[in-house]
Amino acid sequence: MSSMAQGLVREIRSKYLARTPLAVSVLELIKGLNGGAPIVHDHMAFRTFGANDFGNQSLARIFMDLNYREEGALVFPNKKVNALWYSPPFCDPPLPRLFSSELRVLDLSPAAQKIVRHYTQTAGRKAWKWVSVSAVTGMLPWETPTLADYEALSSESEFAAWVLVNGYNLSHSTVSVHRSGLSGGMEALNTKLKEAGFQLNTSGGELKVSPDGGLLQSSTVSEQLPFTFAGGEEREVAGAYIEFAERKALPEFEHIPEGELEEHQRRDGFEQVQADLIFDSTNPKMQQPGVARVMFDDSEDNKSV
């Protein structure tokens, strides 16, 4: 099973890199910084519609068959999104965690719901069974959308518009900073990325830090991709981006030297507020230049799973 999981992840990431030159350039920079050491990925993320069986479970099925395990759920009220994350089976080289998010379609306006249901229904009966094929090939699981439908969804939900034109392509893959031979941690990497001309997601601050200080995250702003709509109109739309994560030692393992820590001895899971801000990597309207770092408080609004 581990070899099949490795193969699936490899093919999905290959398609992601083919349509995200930004990520290729960032990974080349990292290779120069870490002396060519292997780059390990913390997690990869998908977005989908919660309608007509196209929700999180449509994607999770194949990964759970490959021994991934559901670990926790997150809710994003403002974005009308639910998410689940899954831990991978142990293997060498290590597999990434899976982060899957679905739009709560019933929370949209009737007009937006009608648009989403049109595309998920015209995909055909039981089309959800083939979403892994869509993720590997990069093909949309539904018909090419019209510009009018895209703009209608954009006015109500940036997430919905993104899914309509990107389907089951990865929204991002995440470099594990502490497992990829990078010295200086997240802040040093962010500095190198900016010096190289990469634009970071500044929504809530460039560096997002969990209340316990154990999870640090940052990301680039998404690639802009040309897209041809059903009527032949061409527009640039938000594509994928690349994220970076550093997981610190759990309190009971802080006495262990950094180079000897195992992944299970580090902070696991995700934070609701941090993940919400990472979503903004595909939304240029949410960027706030000049904010370098934010550390969240440990309140009910910041759920950790």
Side-chain angles (χ1 to χ4, degrees):
M1 283 293 187
S2 62
S3 61
M4 291 183 66
Q6 293 280 12
L8 177 61
V9 169
R10 183 171 55 249
E11 291 303 314
I12 290 172
R13 187 176 295 140
S14 175
K15 179 56 64 175
Y16 159 77
L17 292 174
R19 68 193 301 270
T20 316
L22 165 71
V24 176
S25 298
V26 168
L27 293 175
E28 286 299 318
L29 173 67
I30 290 175
K31 288 177 184 177
L33 296 174
N34 72 1
I39 296 174
V40 177
H41 291 257
D42 181 88
H43 65 275
M44 58 183 187
F46 295 88
R47 300 179 181 183
T48 184
F49 290 131
N52 298 319
D53 294 321
F54 274 96
N56 286 326
Q57 295 301 327
S58 67
L59 187 67
R61 286 182 177 94
I62 187 169
F63 284 95
M64 294 184 76
D65 285 345
L66 295 172
N67 295 324
Y68 271 71
R69 185 174 62 190
E70 184 179 326
E71 296 288 0
L74 290 167
V75 177
F76 304 92
N78 292 336
K79 289 183 170 62
K80 302 179 176 66
V81 168
N82 294 335
L84 296 170
W85 78 272
Y86 303 81
S87 61
F90 176 81
C91 63
D92 187 24
L95 287 163
R97 298 166 182 82
L98 173 67
F99 189 95
S100 176
S101 53
E102 67 177 22
L103 181 70
R104 296 196 305 273
V105 176
L106 289 176
D107 288 354
L108 300 179
S109 68
Q113 288 185 47
K114 183 177 180 181
I115 292 172
V116 171
R117 294 192 184 283
H118 166 75
Y119 289 96
T120 54
Q121 287 172 353
T122 56
R125 294 184 61 191
K126 298 185 177 180
W128 55 266
K129 286 188 173 183
W130 310 109
V131 297
S132 58
V133 176
S134 177
V136 169
T137 63
M139 297 178 65
L140 292 176
W142 39 74
E143 65 187 39
T144 302
T146 66
L147 177 59
D149 286 342
Y150 172 76
E151 290 179 338
L153 288 186
S154 294
S155 67
E156 186 168 335
S157 167
E158 185 273 335
F159 186 103
W162 191 96
V163 175
L164 186 67
V165 295
N166 285 278
Y168 280 86
N169 282 291
L170 281 185
S171 68
H172 66 276
S173 188
T174 301
V175 173
S176 175
V177 172
H178 58 278
R179 302 174 89 181
S180 299
L182 290 164
S183 61
M186 289 288 297
E187 292 186 281
L189 177 59
N190 281 356
T191 297
K192 292 294 185 182
L193 289 165
K194 289 187 291 182
E195 288 175 349
F198 294 105
Q199 183 183 356
L200 296 182
N201 170 3
T202 58
S203 180
E206 291 172 354
L207 182 60
K208 289 81 169 164
V209 184
S210 62
D212 58 12
L215 176 61
L216 290 75
Q217 294 170 280
S218 66
S219 62
T220 67
V221 173
S222 68
E223 192 94 55
Q224 294 294 305
L225 301 174
F227 187 89
T228 303
F229 289 91
E233 306 95 338
E234 293 187 0
R235 297 287 190 279
E236 282 199 340
V237 301
Y241 55 96
I242 186 166
E243 186 192 335
F244 317 96
E246 182 179 2
R247 298 179 184 272
K248 300 288 190 178
L250 293 168
E252 60 268 34
F253 300 116
E254 288 178 345
H255 65 282
I256 299 176
E258 177 68 22
E260 298 176 15
L261 282 166
E262 301 290 338
E263 188 69 3
H264 71 274
Q265 296 171 325
R266 295 179 182 270
R267 173 44 155 95
D268 206 354
F270 297 88
E271 292 285 337
Q272 187 266 340
V273 174
Q274 284 173 256
D276 195 305
L277 295 171
I278 294 292
F279 276 129
D280 291 337
S281 296
T282 58
N283 188 353
K285 296 179 182 178
M286 297 302 295
Q287 302 311 308
Q288 303 168 9
V291 183
R293 178 187 177 103
V294 62
M295 186 166 181
F296 304 106
D297 61 26
D298 196 3
S299 67
E300 279 298 305
D301 293 331
N302 192 32
K303 300 293 185 180
S304 173
V305 296

